[in-house]
Amino acid sequence: MGKEIALKELESTRWINLSQQNYINQVSIDCVIFGYQDRQLKVLIPKLSYKGDFWVLPSGFVLQDEDIDQAAERILRERTSIKGIYLEQFQVFGKANRNSKEFIKLLKELNAELIENTKLNTDVHPDYEWFTKRFISIGYYALVDINKVVPQKSLIDESIEWYNIHEIPPMVMDNNEILENALKALRNDIDEKLNVFNLLPEKFTIADVQEIYETIFERTYIRTNFQKKILEFNVLERLEKKFTGAANKAPYLYRFKDNALLKYSQSNLPQI
Amino acid sequence: MGKEIALKELESTRWINLSQQNYINQVSIDCVIFGYQDRQLKVLIPKLSYKGDFWVLPSGFVLQDEDIDQAAERILRERTSIKGIYLEQFQVFGKANRNSKEFIKLLKELNAELIENTKLNTDVHPDYEWFTKRFISIGYYALVDINKVVPQKSLIDESIEWYNIHEIPPMVMDNNEILENALKALRNDIDEKLNVFNLLPEKFTIADVQEIYETIFERTYIRTNFQKKILEFNVLERLEKKFTGAANKAPYLYRFKDNALLKYSQSNLPQI
């Protein structure tokens, strides 16, 4: 996606139509986008282009004619440039005090700057009144192959970067709590949904899988036991050996079987 | 709670204030209330007082100054007459087509009858316009001691009854799907949250627990294995023997330890 098209899409989906009547009011979607790289679990987080340091989870609203899952997919696509991302709805955040007057003030100031800087058509600029209300937010987490993602800033972002799960910046409102609960949900889901493979490229070794498990659960596994358990799930297809230059010791590559998850969910398999 | 007070409370919480500006618009809460009796898992479901058979899960809306968990607690209290009910938020139902024109039509007709029949103050009767929109519904399931519950009809209910999980009537909109997913969530949560004890009276035998597990999972367990596993969770306190008339063979009574759940969640215990 070229820069021009991306900008156009952002304008159309994130700003031009951001008028109250197009959206479900007082409902938002917050996305925790997990990626994996160099034995680190990472989360994609934008920083707002505003004086002061404001980090905020990628988020958005639900169009009146849009399923909530579709809204989450749209928001994920806007921020990662890739489609068909694996996502899970994991929790609703609905405390009565979930509105941040500071954050809204910031948005209002940003908007004034934004209109001036980008020369957006003034008769379509959003009315921020509806932002001042309390929001109930539906939390989604997503698992992506970090190498495929091309992070996209929105018009109000200074940057968007991958942060190590242990070096997450302080975010607005309850966004850090949302992230922590997403991590708990991921840990809880892994054995049931076997979704960890979404963090890997298409082909991987069992050692790659073990590294991810060790990173997410912050513990080690015994190699032979881990390999046995993972293969017992019967969701992996063995491919050629990985090219390492040393053919004899090269490990096999695997890929996740088509429909393996469906079969898996119908059976009762042991836990790792 | 006397009938008069109950009615007054229903009026004040369910009707008099049911005007659009008091609530988060387009968000509802649906409750699946599970009880257990005679080896049957049951769900508390109202039937609407309207020509035609309309069943609908106990539901309600979220006040502007109310946490979503508080809203669910309020709805549960209204329908069961008991406080402090165990509940779990389990899923958001957010398809774009989640509005039922038939059901709204029914509500409008009911309202006309209601105002006439109950002589409610006409200047506070609700405007139903906001009901005609799409709703995003937050699903909660609750576990109750069925013997403590005194089911409460709302003003629009003909009846409210316990239905065996295998004999659930056809409900409006996606309410049957919400119930099915609540059951899946319950099954999924049991070992992690050890919440099944909320379906039992304060004192119970291990055989009582086994019966509930067998009913919920629709399978049998070997008695000695089951007893061993349950006791290994270390969340039960052994009390006196159950009075059966035959002291020697009488089983022990148990109760759920205070704070057992807290301790449990910090450890890694085996699954049943």
Side-chain angles (χ1 to χ4, degrees), chain A residues 21-253:
Chain A
Q21 71 269 25
N22 292 334
Y23 290 89
I24 308 270
N25 283 211
Q26 301 193 261
V27 171
S28 58
I29 288 186
D30 280 305
C31 297
V32 180
I33 307 173
F34 289 110
Y36 176 80
Q37 195 174 39
D38 301 334
R39 288 185 175 260
Q40 295 176 65
L41 187 64
K42 296 183 174 183
V43 180
L44 189 62
I45 301 175
K47 185 183 178 192
L48 299 177
S49 51
Y50 186 67
K51 38 190 178 288
D53 294 327
F54 287 93
W55 287 269
V56 57
L57 287 172
S59 66
F61 308 107
V62 183
L63 288 162
Q64 285 291 355
D65 61 355
E66 188 179 46
D67 296 349
I68 54 172
D69 286 354
Q70 287 173 338
E73 280 164 15
R74 173 175 52 76
I75 294 161
L76 289 168
R77 178 167 43 78
E78 285 166 9
R79 294 321 197 90
T80 61
S81 322
I82 55 176
K83 290 186 181 182
I85 288 180
Y86 176 89
L87 54 84
E88 288 284 343
Q89 179 205 107
F90 70 96
Q91 191 183 339
V92 186
F93 298 84
K95 292 271 189 201
N97 63 3
R98 276 197 90 262
N99 66 354
S100 164
K101 293 204 174 124
E102 272 306 305
F103 185 54
I104 288 153
K105 188 163 155 267
L106 150 68
L107 278 175
K108 282 182 177 170
E109 291 183 35
L110 271 177
N111 187 41
E113 284 178 35
L114 186 72
I115 289 162
E116 197 171 326
N117 295 343
T118 61
K119 291 175 186 146
L120 286 175
N121 190 339
T122 48
D123 65 2
V124 290
H125 73 76
D127 173 3
Y128 279 100
E129 187 54 33
W130 68 294
F131 286 149
T132 65
K133 292 198 173 161
R134 162 196 178 184
F135 271 82
I136 292 175
S137 194
I138 308 171
Y140 281 82
Y141 74 77
L143 305 179
V144 298
D145 174 355
I146 203 166
N147 298 305
K148 285 189 182 159
V149 170
V150 183
Q152 299 290 330
K153 289 194 284 183
S154 80
L155 291 179
I156 60 168
D157 296 337
E158 177 185 303
S159 63
I160 178 166
E161 308 218 359
W162 290 103
Y163 291 85
N164 183 311
I165 195 78
H166 299 297
E167 294 162 3
I168 301 295
M171 292 184 280
V172 299
M173 287 199 286
D174 56 358
N175 280 200
N176 287 77
E177 183 194 345
I178 294 175
L179 191 153
E180 280 164 29
N181 288 16
L183 180 59
K184 282 182 199 160
L186 169 63
R187 285 177 177 154
N188 200 46
D189 285 348
I190 279 182
D191 280 333
E192 187 203 350
K193 302 188 195 283
L194 282 183
N195 54 15
V196 77
F197 301 101
N198 293 289
L199 291 166
L200 287 163
E202 198 197 340
K203 298 179 182 182
F204 46 81
T205 65
I206 301 293
D208 294 333
V209 182
Q210 182 171 342
E211 271 186 26
I212 287 197
Y213 267 80
E214 291 185 341
T215 303
I216 291 174
F217 290 103
E218 298 178 14
R219 54 159 288 187
T220 56
Y221 296 91
I222 296 165
R223 195 180 62 80
T224 49
N225 292 359
F226 185 87
Q227 170 150 344
K228 185 165 172 290
K229 288 283 186 190
I230 279 287
L231 293 178
E232 273 174 3
F233 283 134
N234 197 27
V235 293
L236 299 185
E237 182 185 341
R238 197 171 80 173
L239 306 168
E240 70 279 10
K241 286 198 169 187
K242 187 176 179 179
F243 180 75
T244 60
N248 278 344
K249 289 186 177 175
Y252 280 101
L253 288 167

